[in-house]
Amino acid sequence: MIVIDGEENVQQWFKDRCWAFSANKTLNTERDAPITSCAKRVYVPSSTEEVSDLVRSLPVSTPIATVGGGCDAANVATYADEQAVVLDMCQMKSIQVDTDKMEITVGPGVRFQALAEAVRDAKGALPIGTGPGVGVIGYVLNGGLSGYFSRRLGLLGQRVKCLEMITAQGAIQQLSPEENGDIFISMLGAGSALGIVTSMTFSMAEETVVQCGGQIVVSCGNISVAQTFVKDVAPFMKDRIFGEEEIGVSMELVVTADATAIVTFVFYDWFQFGDQELFVNPIRDAATNLGLPIVVDSVTKWNSWFDIASSLWPIISELKGEILVTLQHCCGTDGVPTQEVINFLCEWWIGKSPLGLAPMSIIEIRTLGGVIRTGRPIPTGICNQDLFFNLIVLYDADGILQEERNKITEQVSAVLVEAKKIGTLNIDFGGTQIQADDPGEPISGPSIFGTEAAYQTVLSHKAQVDPNNRFRFHPFASILPVR
């Protein structure tokens, strides 16, 4: 097992393993103050047995932080604390495919790019996220979603067949819905608080469930025009996407900091409206009516699940900075959004967010529901959302004055204050879509885990399997106290 210790070595490890740093860590600090881990030592195991042996060898009071992909917006596990032992799972990257069963098993160091390539080779499909460097297992354990595929394939956590975990006592356990129903389900939305997962097996769909996809890209020129464009296409989303009973298409609308609107469609095998090109004409009409140029028009360009799954990798790979920092929040609706929600989305979420101050930021507006609703219930608020929209604030803090950093954060806070005034709007649900280190009002257990009953079940399992709270470095720390 590799061991990283010494302040300089740990600081370099932290810098290498974090895709971006929490913007909250850059507030009210000296500009040149280092952002680094509090941990004194990092272990890099290469097998389940090494993880088990290490956990058994430590005092039962020693906290343990587990790092998978390193893409958590709050860097909770990579920051850790001085008493913690950090486990970096990056070496455990095994992928095994059973083509007869259409199942794929991955280790905790596997990221989405490697998973997507293996699924492609197996002629399968899974509802994965768009970031190639995001850790697969951590994404599932914290309730991740797929904007492109979840309406047809459900959440990735809903496709888990079984998993292997290390308990707080160091025991190796195999979990499945047949043998360990309740705790198995809790792992699929709160797992980072309950144990160390060392493998996970997914049931793949056939690649043919995804027919094609592509984008219409509209240059809006400024955010005010982008607000109008989104408001004009909202009726199409409400009537044609949410109104389709068989969930044959998904739609995602991204607004970038330079006021570009990117409308992405994914067509599934259940699509029954004939010609895909004709189906999306209302989007073209909305741009034409506003006199806006359509700079890309290729809604059927992507011809396979893998084409769609990998479509954003080149763009994401260019998001870099000396001190790349982020803030992330989300909203959603249980059912078709009301006009009040659409107005808030356009006027506040798009219009008042600090897109101009944070030039790599984006707003994503997604259609969910569908198979997420009808699939196996798991403890994440994502299961309750039909319309979903998030704000990913992203900027290079190097060279930005403290006053500007504070202003960015203040604008985000002001938008969230307004969001809480909308009675039909759900805010900050699911561990992959929240800023867990935000000060002030805590996140809500029933919102994060979907229902009060699910929250109480997770609380019970936490007290049962981790009574000493060894696994405390996760997005849910503020709502999972040990009783």
Side-chain angles (χ1 to χ4, degrees):
M1 185 186 310
I2 300 171
V3 179
I4 302 169
D5 55 14
E7 182 176 350
E8 184 176 339
N9 292 332
V10 172
Q11 185 170 338
Q12 185 61 50
W13 167 84
F14 178 81
K15 183 178 179 181
D16 292 342
R17 288 296 276 118
C18 291
W19 177 71
F21 306 116
S22 168
N24 289 325
K25 298 296 191 296
T26 71
L27 302 179
N28 304 314
T29 61
E30 295 296 329
R31 175 176 162 184
D32 296 326
I35 305 172
T36 189
S37 178
C38 297
K40 302 299 183 184
R41 181 171 294 177
V42 178
Y43 293 87
V44 188
S46 58
S47 69
T48 298
E49 290 71 26
E50 285 187 351
V51 177
S52 175
D53 291 345
L54 177 61
V55 173
R56 288 175 184 271
S57 72
L58 297 170
V60 294
S61 59
T62 302
I64 299 171
T66 305
V67 178
C71 292
D72 170 34
N75 315 116
V76 177
T78 45
Y79 276 113
D81 65 26
E82 292 184 357
Q83 288 74 44
V85 165
V86 176
L87 299 181
D88 183 348
M89 313 300 277
C90 64
Q91 294 297 313
M92 298 177 66
K93 297 185 288 188
S94 65
I95 299 178
Q96 299 175 317
V97 178
D98 186 327
T99 53
D100 292 333
K101 295 182 178 180
M102 283 299 285
E103 294 178 355
I104 187 165
T105 302
V106 303
V110 174
R111 303 187 184 194
F112 275 136
Q113 180 167 348
L115 174 63
E117 290 167 348
V119 171
R120 172 200 61 195
D121 294 345
K123 301 186 184 305
L126 281 175
I128 69 170
T130 53
V134 174
V136 175
I137 287 180
Y139 181 85
V140 172
L141 298 182
N142 293 327
L145 63 92
S146 171
Y148 288 168
F149 305 117
S150 282
R151 274 173 65 80
R152 178 62 178 86
L153 297 175
L155 300 177
L156 192 55
Q158 292 174 308
R159 303 194 72 89
V160 176
K161 299 284 290 184
C162 57
L163 60 88
E164 178 182 76
M165 68 173 284
I166 309 297
T167 69
Q169 295 74 39
I172 302 173
Q173 291 188 350
Q174 310 295 327
L175 301 185
S176 68
E178 295 79 18
E179 300 294 329
N180 322 88
D182 287 347
I183 186 67
F184 173 81
I185 295 298
S186 286
M187 291 296 295
L188 305 178
S192 59
L194 303 176
I196 304 168
V197 174
T198 51
S199 77
M200 189 173 280
T201 299
F202 302 97
S203 173
M204 295 183 288
E206 297 288 341
E207 63 180 353
T208 52
V209 301
V210 177
Q211 298 292 293
C212 64
Q215 296 177 328
I216 295 175
V217 179
V218 179
S219 177
C220 296
N222 60 65
I223 292 299
S224 177
V225 176
Q227 292 171 267
T228 302
F229 176 75
V230 172
K231 187 171 290 188
D232 286 355
V233 302
F236 170 81
M237 178 182 285
K238 290 173 63 176
D239 298 339
R240 300 304 304 275
I241 307 297
F242 289 123
E244 185 187 352
E245 294 182 359
E246 291 191 289
I247 329 299
V249 60
S250 71
M251 174 180 169
E252 176 180 275
L253 202 167
V254 173
V255 178
T256 66
D258 67 355
T260 299
I262 306 168
V263 189
T264 301
F265 290 94
V266 178
F267 298 96
Y268 311 124
D269 53 343
W270 289 342
F271 183 72
Q272 294 185 352
F273 286 98
D275 190 300
Q276 292 100 337
E277 294 284 354
L278 293 178
F279 178 76
V280 303
N281 266 342
I283 306 301
R284 300 184 180 102
D285 293 342
T288 300
N289 291 339
L290 291 171
L292 302 177
I294 297 176
V295 295
V296 173
D297 191 344
S298 57
V299 294
T300 58
K301 176 182 179 181
W302 303 324
N303 294 313
S304 69
W305 170 85
F306 183 77
D307 284 349
I308 299 166
S310 61
S311 61
L312 295 183
W313 293 355
I315 296 172
I316 293 172
S317 67
E318 295 300 316
L319 298 175
K320 300 175 182 178
E322 289 297 319
I323 309 176
L324 193 63
V325 300
T326 189
L327 288 171
Q328 299 185 26
H329 292 280
C330 67
C331 292
T333 62
D334 182 352
V336 178
T338 64
Q339 191 58 49
E340 182 184 28
V341 168
I342 297 299
N343 291 343
F344 167 79
L345 167 62
C346 296
E347 294 168 17
W348 277 91
W349 202 260
I350 297 173
K352 304 294 185 181
S353 292
L355 298 180
L357 296 175
M360 287 183 275
S361 302
I362 61 171
I363 288 169
E364 299 174 311
I365 306 161
R366 295 167 166 170
T367 53
L368 297 181
V371 175
I372 300 176
R373 293 281 197 176
T374 59
R376 175 177 59 200
I378 60 176
T380 171
I382 300 295
C383 288
N384 301 332
Q385 314 308 316
D386 289 289
L387 176 69
F388 168 93
F389 52 94
N390 66 356
L391 169 63
I392 301 176
V393 174
L394 192 66
Y395 63 97
D396 188 350
D398 185 48
I400 294 183
L401 297 176
Q402 188 68 61
E403 181 180 353
E404 293 177 82
R405 300 181 192 179
N406 292 343
K407 186 175 181 180
I408 290 170
T409 303
E410 289 167 2
Q411 288 190 13
V412 172
S413 298
V415 171
L416 291 173
V417 168
E418 288 299 315
K420 293 171 184 176
K421 298 177 182 179
I422 310 296
T424 57
L425 203 55
N426 304 315
I427 304 167
D428 282 349
F429 41 82
T432 62
Q433 304 292 329
I434 60 174
Q435 196 65 38
D437 63 342
D438 262 358
E441 187 173 341
I443 56 178
S444 161
S447 293
I448 291 292
F449 299 120
T451 64
E452 178 65 30
Y455 178 40
Q456 292 302 321
T457 298
V458 171
L459 278 171
S460 176
H461 284 145
K462 177 66 173 175
Q464 173 188 339
V465 303
D466 187 19
N468 294 313
N469 199 22
R470 303 192 80 176
F471 307 122
R472 66 187 69 166
F473 305 102
H474 52 78
F476 322 116
S478 65
I479 56 173
L480 289 181
V482 174
R483 293 169 171 169

